[in-house]
Amino acid sequence: MRGYTAAMKRIGLITSGGDAPGTNACIRTIARRCFNAGITPVGVFDAWDGLLKGNVRDIARDDVTGIVQTAGTILRSSRSRLFLAPGDAELARAALARHDIHGLCVIGGNGSQTAAHLLAQTGFPVIGVPKTIDNDLVGTELTVGFLTAVEMVTHALDNLRATAESHNRVMVVEVMGRNVGWIAVEAAIAGGADLALVPEFPFTLEEICARLRTRHETHGRNYSIVVIAEGAVDSQGVIDPQSASQDRLGRPKLGGVGANLAREIETRLGYDARCTTLGYLQRSASPCAADRILATRVSDKAFDLLVEGQTGLMAGLQGTRVAPVPLADVVGKLKRVTPDYFRLAQVFG
Ligand code: F6P
């Protein structure tokens, strides 16, 4: 209980952006630390839009019992346009004040941490908890939810290998990853895929076809597995990952690169090719043990930072330690797949 600020009597918790396995373990940890310290944890439901609408209520002990193993978020989530316009941070601050919330833990990815940063700049006490299956936040080596997503995709690759091999097919597996390809490369390495295509390293159809032709015709393989991130970029623009429709933030809804790639492979090489899109299943699995532990550790640190009177920080995994990183150093950046990692995912084709 050292150095805790007496002013911090009600701590708010908010989850925003895409859900990720381990989020409930974060909520549980912060709530439990609150109970132990005589602080009231306050749940903001439905993210920032919910805050403005007053979807706020105190969290009870029973709310966070038996949730460490569950996917999703008991606080629910959404992508919000709040914080895009000047003055939005003051609106959020006023809403928090109306609910007598003295400090806030923001559990989320890039958009959420940007919101946390803007809110902290108004002088409101805010600490971030890194949560996104994309693992694209700088300031932390891992984000909550990522390892479970990799596990899920790896199992899918293990299973898809059987059907690909039985039917002499190229199996293209489309995974999430709008701006970065961490899920694609790590699952490709763990699942023994032959190629991984990611947004950071644009590909050409010629290169892919050449790689597959060598594997099938020189190395005598009868099947291949290609993992492609939804945001992977064909440098010649034959395959376009963007759909006509947009999400609430005005970003193109992604999806379809995998199917298009499978079609091109069939046309150009004459190999039988199929696509499996893993979609939201990647976000829906029960969190793996490593995610539950990471969620618990970063949230425990976030609680400590907040009650010690700190603000504008995110609790990140740095090496084996959880340590604070200024939100100013986190926002507006992307942790991209490195050339070395990308190379490793291509070695086994
Ligand atoms: O959480 C991030 C993410 O997994 C991205 O990789 C993907 O583009 C996005 O979610 C899609 O989620 P939604 O359709 O919920 O916006």
Side-chain angles (χ1 to χ4, degrees):
M1 299 290 290
R2 76 209 139 82
Y4 285 3
T5 63
M8 200 59 71
K9 285 287 165 221
R10 288 169 57 79
I11 288 183
L13 289 82
I14 191 166
T15 58
S16 75
D19 62 338
T23 307
N24 283 336
C26 296
I27 298 166
R28 166 186 182 259
T29 303
I30 297 163
R32 288 285 178 93
R33 291 292 316 271
C34 284
F35 295 137
N36 293 349
I39 294 169
T40 304
V42 184
V44 176
F45 290 76
D46 303 306
W48 302 108
D49 293 351
L51 172 65
L52 294 191
K53 286 182 192 150
N55 294 357
V56 175
R57 71 168 167 78
D58 296 358
I59 295 174
R61 274 182 188 271
D62 278 356
D63 293 329
V64 294
T65 299
I67 63 168
V68 69
Q69 79 286 9
T70 58
T73 159
I74 61 164
L75 298 177
R76 302 189 296 270
S77 192
S78 70
R79 299 193 194 276
S80 169
R81 296 190 62 79
L82 188 68
F83 292 99
L84 294 183
D88 280 359
E90 281 70 22
L91 278 182
R93 186 186 172 145
L96 288 161
R98 277 199 297 282
H99 294 284
D100 206 17
I101 294 174
H102 307 138
L104 187 68
C105 287
V106 177
I107 305 165
N110 269 302
S112 313
Q113 301 310 333
T114 302
H117 179 54
L118 292 168
L119 188 56
Q121 284 180 323
T122 70
F124 194 83
V126 188
I127 300 291
V129 176
K131 174 272 308 171
T132 163
I133 66 161
D134 291 342
N135 197 33
D136 57 356
L137 272 174
V138 305
T140 187
E141 285 173 28
L142 290 170
T143 54
V144 173
F146 168 65
L147 290 175
T148 305
V150 170
E151 197 72 32
M152 185 274 163
V153 176
T154 302
H155 282 308
L157 296 180
D158 290 347
N159 295 343
L160 289 166
R161 179 182 300 276
T163 181
E165 191 166 10
S166 301
H167 286 266
N168 304 304
R169 279 177 176 156
V170 176
M171 184 60 73
V172 177
V173 184
E174 184 179 307
V175 301
M176 280 190 172
R178 170 178 289 275
N179 300 306
V180 303
W182 284 111
I183 296 174
V185 290
E186 291 224 345
I189 292 167
D194 305 299
L195 273 174
L197 306 172
V198 299
E200 293 89 335
F201 300 92
F203 63 86
T204 68
L205 287 166
E206 286 75 18
E207 279 161 15
I208 292 170
C209 289
R211 292 284 302 272
L212 293 175
R213 198 179 288 111
T214 304
R215 181 177 149 80
H216 288 231
E217 283 157 38
T218 309
H219 300 151
R221 302 284 175 249
N222 72 318
Y223 76 97
S224 291
I225 306 222
V226 179
V227 180
I228 183 165
E230 61 185 350
V233 181
D234 168 10
S235 60
Q236 294 165 332
V238 180
I239 288 175
D240 183 3
Q242 311 201 342
S243 80
S245 59
Q246 297 182 334
D247 69 10
R248 293 187 67 202
L249 300 181
R251 306 177 306 177
K253 286 188 187 162
L254 299 183
V257 274
N260 290 343
L261 178 61
R263 214 170 16 251
E264 287 292 333
I265 289 169
E266 280 199 335
T267 310
R268 291 174 185 232
L269 291 172
Y271 302 161
D272 209 12
R274 294 288 189 278
C275 172
T276 299
T277 300
L278 297 178
Y280 294 93
L281 287 168
Q282 292 161 91
R283 298 205 314 221
S284 319
S286 169
C288 64
D291 259 333
R292 298 180 198 189
I293 294 164
L294 176 67
T296 304
R297 292 182 68 205
V298 289
S299 303
D300 183 61
K301 185 69 177 180
F303 174 86
D304 276 341
L305 292 169
L306 199 56
V307 295
E308 283 165 8
Q310 309 223 43
T311 184
L313 302 171
M314 184 183 81
L317 182 67
Q318 289 153 31
T320 56
R321 293 176 53 236
V322 174
V325 51
L327 283 167
D329 295 344
V330 171
V331 302
K333 298 176 185 160
L334 279 177
K335 186 177 69 191
R336 297 180 201 278
V337 170
T338 57
D340 234 30
Y341 236 108
F342 181 63
R343 179 194 55 77
L344 196 54
Q346 318 297 332
V347 165
F348 304 98

